[in-house]
Every structure is written in structure tokens, then in C-alpha cells.
Amino acid sequence: MTIIEIENLRKTFRSGDVDVHALRGVNLMVQKGEFLAVVGRSGSGKSTLFHILGGLTPPTSGTIKIDGQSLTSLDEAGRTRLRRNSVGFVFQKYNLLPTLTVRDNIDIARDIAGRSEPWDATFLEVLELLGIAQKLDRKPRQLSGGEQQRVAIARAIVNQPAILLADEPTGNLDTENSNMVLDLLRHLNKKTGQTVLMITHDPEAAAFADRTVQMRDGELHGA
Amino acid sequence: MVYKLVYENLKHRPVRTLLSSLAIGLGVTMMLALVGVGEGMLEDQANRARGVGADLVVRAPGSSVVGMGSLSMNQKILDYVRARPHVTLATPIGIHSTGGVSSIMGINYDEFAAMSGGFRFREGRQFAAPDDVIIDDLYAREKKLKVGSVLHTMNRDWRVSGIFGSGKLARVMIPLTVLQELASANGKITMIYVKLDNPANTQAVIDAMKQDLPEYPIYAMEELIKQFSVNNLPELKAFIGVVVSLAVLFGFLVVFLAMYTAVLERTREIGILKALGAGPGYVLGILLRETVLLAVIGSLCGIAMSYGTRWLIATFIPASMIQAIVYSWWPIASLITLAGAVLGVLYPALKAARQDALDSLSYD
Ligand SMILES: Nc1ncnc2c1ncn2[C@@H]1O[C@H](COP(=O)(O)OP(=O)(O)OP(=O)(O)O)[C@@H](O)[C@H]1O
Ligand SMILES: [Mg+2]
């Protein structure tokens, strides 16, 4: 079953007097339960694609569908709903709320989605898997970078999004922690069937995915 | 959940939280102190008026109800009043303003003492010489005077001959004849206090007197005392209005500044929340709750500090000012401050709500 359908997607930024064509006709199909790696040089448009997929910014033209829902015509409120219910984000910088504990960082994502029931058994297992089940009452600054990134992953999937978007999730981590996070992403993908899209610069990291596509000058190759 | 975030944010910057609360509280204290002083002084005036023990008072034509008055009434009226049926005692009072709200009062000692049930002297006794003055205990405390001390007023030195328990209309008293002499107002008085055989006759006596003295304001003491209210002091009412506006402005500025810097400081957090799917309303709600909490803490601080101002006033200027604790103004002052605070958070909150998630999540 296809969960992402992208056709001729374009994104043009206007910066001063010049138009920057970040995406120049991207085509991509992703199946439900896939783990896809997106590689490519700096400035090739990888993050821009993820931002559009995640509803952080609208596309300039083209069609894009997640789980059958078209994003092309979404307004700001629609994109907010998309972020809340359909996608989970993991960034290079862990982006946890520094004043809240691990538990509260995860719960605020649920609160935003309007959910208040206690965590289910599956999610508790995920926490065990991520190795943060014992650190729920710590603040982010009391955790290592790898641990913070694993909390960010837990937070991203707590609302069972259709897709998990990870933009260089290991960019700030050493090899050991990188491998751990990548291993976990793959494990999560296999165990729960979570669709994962991951941007990376590192061919070794890309090897953890089922499939790799290349972004070059705003176009995807090998899709 | 949002409350946890709000609470943690307040805890995260304790100095900011403390200073903002204190500043917000200052506005509340300003209002409570002013209203408290107004009420306290009116209440005190009413009590001291009651302490005279009169049933009615005859004032000079054209004098205001709550004002102090001056030596403008002809003393001859006294004979007329004394001759009225039911009048058992009538005693003249002279009031001379010594600047600001302070004044000196001239009395016929024996008559005044008889009407008011006698002076209770804490120290000393009544005047014996023409330059003797008696003062009440609060005045003595504030000015640090004892029996035998010298008090300078009306361009001369007086010797304190006695200190009496307060509650007898004035704080500083001299013989009426001495006052008239000094003020070059022989034969002039300010008002006449009248005691009747039976208080039940008060209205009848007033009605009868008004026939003969149409120009003269004549009040039953009970009526007069009811006039001691903020509503009859337009200046005080206006001043309270000014202070309320200042407090709103104060709350507005404090919260505007505190929340504006908070929003700038938290662009990243706001970006994270937006990336997680928080809409403008959610972000607005967080900042609004934080503001309300600050205003509540601030109001509590302000109420606590109003006890501080009361202590200061009671300790250092007990005779000049009295601050009452006006409970009914606690919610009023708090709501006024809250209104200012909510106005103050509007712009920062809208700025935060409109912030683009991507602006703050840029990866560098
Ligand atoms: N908000 C923006 N305004 C103007 N230009 C932008 C904006 N965001 C991205 N760009 C431009 O679009 C192009 C693609 O940027 P993007 O961030 O998608 O690259 P990337 O592949 O993620 O690079 P990196 O590997 O360095 O993260 C770049 O030329 C970038 O300068
Ligand atoms: Mg990028």
C-alpha cells in the first residue's frame, strides 16, 4: 500500500531578487512500512522535501499525498493538523523542551494531539527498546546526546503518525551512538511497521534503510 | 500538561518570575494602600466625630460637609442655640488649619469634656496657661512629644500640658479664646456641637432651627457621619481613578516586557511546539496562562505588601494617616491588575502564535 505519493513537486524560494529552485520536479512513491534513506549533497533540497512532507511549509507546485490526503491545497490550519496527527519529526538537533522532563516532553506531544489516556503497552515496549524507560523523570540536560535523540524519536511516534521524518538524526552523534539510534529506527520500523524516511550524509547510515534515493539539485534519483 | 510547562517555565527563570510578580504586586499595593488610607482616614474621622458625643452640629453657612471649616461663624448664634428647647449643652469649636490636612482646634475645655464624656489623659492634664496645648497619643507618638515638650505651630511655641487618648475629634487642642486671639477672629467660631435631652428629639430640633437659621447647614451627627465616605470626596475618587489607571499601565508594561523577552528567548521552544502540531491557540494559551499565573502571584505579593505599607504608616505617621485593610478591594485590585497583564501579553502572545515553526528550527 502506497503511503506517500509525490509527483512533479516544486519548491521555489524567493530570496531577495533571486529565485532559488530548491525542488525542481520531485517524484517519489513510498510504501507503507518502508524505511527509506534520502542522501545527497548539502543544499540539494533534502530538508526542503521533508519540510513540505511534514507540513512545515507549502509546496510551490506539484502533487503530494500522504495516506491519501493531498497536501497541495492545505492551508496553515490544515498543515497544523497534519503535523499533529500524521507526521512525526526527528531533527538533527534533538529539539526537546529543556524545562520539561522526558515524560513531559513526550506527553506534551500527546496533549497537543488532544490525547490524555495513559501510554499503552506497545509504547512502553518502545520506551524499553529505546532504552529510556528508566530515565523518564530526567531533564534533557541530564541526558547524553544519544539519549536525547532517542527521546525525540519516542516523542515523534507517540501519536502513531503515518510517517516518521528524520532529518540527519545522527548528525550530531558519534559512531557508537549513531549506530544505536539507526539500529533502533530499523528495529522500530520492522517491529511496529512504522514508515520511516531518513535524511543522511553518511552511506553507512543509509545502509540501515531498505532503500536509498539520491537528491541532486532538487531532483530525486533512484526513486 | 500545559500548566506543567507554564510552571516549569516560571521556575526556570526564578528571578524574572520574582521581579515580575513584585512589580505587578506594586500596582496592587498602590491601589490597596490608597484606598486603604482613604477608608482608614474617613473611618477615623467618623470615629472621632462620634467621640464628641453630640447629637447635632450647626455649621457655618456655605461650609462643606466633610471639610474642616474655618473661623467664620458669629459666636452670637451660640446664645440662640442654647436657648432652644431640648438643648442641654451646646459648645463652640474653632478650627484653624495649619497647612495640609493638619489643623489645631480651640475648645471650651469644661463644656467639651462634659459633652464627650471626659478626656482620658495618658499623661499630664488640661491646659493651665495660655500657651498650653493638649495633644492625643497618636500625635505624641508621631511627633515624639511628651508632657512638657515644646510644640511649634501657628508661629509660636506651645508647651504640651497633657496627652489624651485619641478619639476626641482633633489631635491638637488649645483653649478657644486663645485660638480666636491668635487668628484675629474674636467672636468667631467654626461650628457648634449640640447635645439634647433625648436623641429622639434630634430631627424635631433640627427642623425648628432650620426655620430660624435657613442659611446654616445643620446636621444630625448620625447623618454627618454617614457622609464620611469616598463618594463625598470627589478629589479622592479622582485620585483613585488615576492610581487605578497607573496600575493598569504598570501591569501592562511589566507583563509586556517580561513576556516579550520570554517569547524571544523561547523561539526555539515555540518552534518545537509548532512542529509537534500546536496551533496558534495552543501557543497563545500557554502564554496567557503564564501571564494569569504571574498576575495571581503578583496580586498575592501586592496584598502582602499592603500590610507592609500599613505597618509603615502605623509606625511612623500614626497621627497623619491611617490605612485600613479594605478586603473588598482585594479582588478589585487583582482584577484590574490582571486586565493590565492580559493587555500586556497580547502582542507578545500574538507574535509567538504567528511565529513560523521553521524560523527557529533551522539547523546550524
Ligand atoms: N527559507 C529559505 N529561503 C531561501 N532559500 C532556502 C530556504 N531554505 C532552503 N533554501 C535553499 O534551498 C536549497 C535547498 O536547501 P535544503 O535545506 O533543502 O538543502 P539540504 O539538502 O537539506 O542541505 P543540507 O544537507 O546542508 O542540510 C538551498 O540552496 C538553500 O539555500
Ligand atoms: Mg538539510
Side-chain angles (χ1 to χ4, degrees):
Chain A
M1 182 198 156
T2 309
I3 198 149
I4 299 176
E5 268 184 85
I6 301 174
E7 250 177 82
N8 201 19
L9 183 71
R10 290 171 186 277
K11 177 74 180 181
T12 305
F13 292 108
R14 184 135 192 107
S15 106
D17 291 341
V18 253
D19 281 345
V20 180
H21 301 283
L23 298 180
R24 307 160 181 260
V26 168
N27 297 292
L28 178 68
M29 298 277 250
V30 179
Q31 299 304 308
K32 191 169 165 55
E34 237 190 309
F35 184 173
L36 180 80
V38 180
V39 296
R41 277 218 299 275
S42 183
S44 57
K46 305 181 296 294
S47 293
T48 304
L49 173 64
F50 271 37
H51 293 160
I52 295 173
L53 270 170
L56 287 171
T57 188
T60 306
S61 68
T63 57
I64 176 164
K65 280 185 190 168
I66 296 178
D67 222 358
Q69 185 195 12
S70 170
L71 271 60
T72 332
S73 53
L74 284 186
D75 58 2
E76 181 55 42
R79 282 196 297 277
T80 297
R81 267 196 307 279
L82 179 82
R83 297 199 290 270
R84 186 185 306 162
N85 302 316
S86 306
V87 298
F89 262 113
V90 175
F91 300 96
Q92 177 173 348
K93 278 191 190 162
Y94 325 120
N95 280 335
L96 300 177
L97 295 167
T99 54
L100 293 185
T101 61
V102 168
R103 185 193 307 280
D104 294 339
N105 260 288
I106 294 169
D107 273 341
I108 199 125
R110 284 161 59 83
D111 187 62
I112 289 170
R115 300 170 53 176
S116 55
E117 72 277 8
W119 298 344
D120 60 16
T122 320
F123 188 68
L124 289 173
E125 266 177 60
V126 167
L127 291 179
E128 288 289 347
L129 189 72
L130 292 169
I132 50 171
Q134 317 305 322
K135 309 198 163 162
L136 295 176
D137 294 315
R138 301 228 190 142
K139 295 271 175 82
R141 65 168 180 282
Q142 299 167 309
L143 299 175
S144 73
E147 286 169 334
Q148 290 190 49
Q149 195 60 299
R150 283 178 269 147
V151 174
I153 293 170
R155 184 182 62 183
I157 59 170
V158 70
N159 292 326
Q160 288 121 11
I163 57 173
L164 173 63
L165 301 171
D167 192 343
E168 300 190 47
T170 58
N172 281 9
L173 300 177
D174 58 23
T175 317
E176 191 185 335
N177 274 296
S178 288
N179 285 338
M180 192 176 206
V181 165
L182 291 164
D183 221 29
L184 286 167
L185 280 176
R186 186 168 61 182
H187 203 108
L188 211 64
N189 163 255
K190 292 290 161 279
K191 199 169 139 64
T192 64
Q194 174 71 57
T195 309
V196 180
L197 278 74
M198 174 179 75
I199 292 175
T200 180
H201 274 122
D202 178 8
E204 274 181 51
F208 282 78
D210 302 328
R211 179 160 72 107
T212 301
V213 291
Q214 279 236 350
M215 184 72 89
R216 227 178 286 142
D217 288 333
E219 288 176 40
L220 264 190
H221 296 265
Chain B
M1 198 53 232
V2 169
Y3 282 105
K4 229 173 203 168
L5 181 62
V6 166
Y7 169 74
E8 290 298 337
N9 279 339
L10 288 177
K11 213 176 72 178
H12 183 63
R13 290 260 180 262
V15 176
R16 162 186 172 266
T17 302
L18 185 78
L19 286 183
S20 316
S21 309
L22 283 180
I24 291 173
L26 229 52
V28 172
T29 307
M30 251 158 53
M31 288 187 273
L32 292 182
L34 177 65
V35 171
V37 164
E39 293 274 329
M41 291 183 71
L42 286 167
E43 207 178 285
D44 175 62
Q45 259 192 26
N47 282 337
R48 286 193 278 144
R50 241 179 238 121
V52 176
D55 292 311
L56 60 93
V57 59
V58 181
R59 303 195 56 149
S63 61
S64 86
V65 186
V66 281
M68 282 193 298
S70 58
L71 292 162
S72 59
M73 193 198 294
N74 196 318
Q75 199 165 327
K76 284 189 185 122
I77 301 290
L78 196 55
D79 299 327
Y80 162 81
V81 172
R82 281 183 175 140
R84 292 298 90 205
H86 301 298
V87 172
T88 53
L89 188 56
T91 187
I93 296 286
I95 294 176
H96 181 84
S97 167
T98 51
V101 289
S102 33
S103 62
I104 193 161
M105 194 168 95
I107 56 169
N108 284 345
Y109 183 85
D110 291 331
E111 283 173 0
F112 193 84
M115 184 177 284
S116 65
F119 284 90
R120 280 179 304 281
F121 281 101
R122 303 277 152 88
E123 247 187 279
R125 39 193 250 14
Q126 69 146 304
F127 359 84
D131 61 347
D132 277 355
V133 61
I134 59 175
I135 59 179
D136 80 352
D137 47 358
L138 293 179
Y139 192 83
R141 178 138 58 92
E142 179 172 324
K143 303 290 181 198
K144 300 192 171 55
L145 296 171
K146 291 200 285 286
V147 166
S149 300
V150 171
L151 169 65
H152 189 86
T153 185
M154 289 182 83
N155 289 323
R156 61 181 272 193
D157 287 334
W158 303 80
R159 195 188 69 95
V160 176
S161 72
I163 295 171
F164 59 92
S166 68
K168 297 282 187 221
L169 198 61
R171 302 202 188 281
V172 182
M173 301 189 196
I174 56 175
L176 178 60
T177 47
V178 177
L179 183 75
Q180 287 170 329
E181 188 73 35
L182 274 176
S184 312
N186 283 313
K188 295 285 190 175
I189 57 177
T190 304
M191 56 182 107
I192 303 168
Y193 282 101
V194 182
K195 180 123 185 124
L196 303 180
D197 51 3
N198 183 345
N201 295 325
T202 308
Q203 200 50 51
V205 174
I206 290 175
D207 291 344
M209 281 190 191
K210 277 191 171 163
Q211 296 286 321
D212 301 330
L213 304 172
E215 312 275 279
Y216 287 72
I218 303 171
Y219 305 101
M221 282 309 279
E222 280 313 312
E223 284 305 306
L224 189 71
I225 284 161
K226 281 195 202 124
Q227 304 293 316
F228 289 121
S229 111
V230 178
N231 290 330
N232 284 327
L233 290 174
E235 296 89 352
L236 181 61
K237 264 179 100 170
F239 192 44
I240 289 175
V242 169
V243 168
V244 163
S245 318
L246 278 178
V248 171
L249 188 69
F250 214 64
F252 172 85
L253 288 177
V254 169
V255 168
F256 187 101
L257 203 67
M259 296 312 283
Y260 189 76
T261 48
V263 166
L264 290 184
E265 185 188 62
R266 292 186 209 147
T267 35
R268 186 173 195 83
E269 278 89 326
I270 293 162
I272 295 169
L273 291 170
K274 292 217 145 177
L276 290 174
Y282 196 87
V283 175
L284 213 77
I286 290 174
L287 295 169
L288 210 60
R289 283 183 180 87
E290 185 168 338
T291 300
V292 170
L293 211 61
L294 271 180
V296 168
I297 301 171
S299 296
L300 293 177
C301 289
I303 289 170
M305 288 190 289
S306 75
Y307 280 89
T309 58
R310 184 173 75 149
W311 179 85
L312 285 174
I313 287 172
T315 305
F316 295 106
I317 45 170
S320 315
M321 268 193 208
I322 292 171
Q323 183 193 327
I325 296 296
V326 187
Y327 299 102
S328 62
W329 262 78
W330 286 5
I332 299 174
S334 301
L335 284 177
I336 287 168
T337 301
L338 183 66
V342 168
L343 284 178
V345 78
L346 279 188
Y347 177 76
L350 285 178
K351 182 181 160 70
R354 277 204 296 259
Q355 184 190 313
D356 192 323
L358 270 183
D359 285 349
S360 49
L361 295 175
S362 45
Y363 319 44
D364 32 73

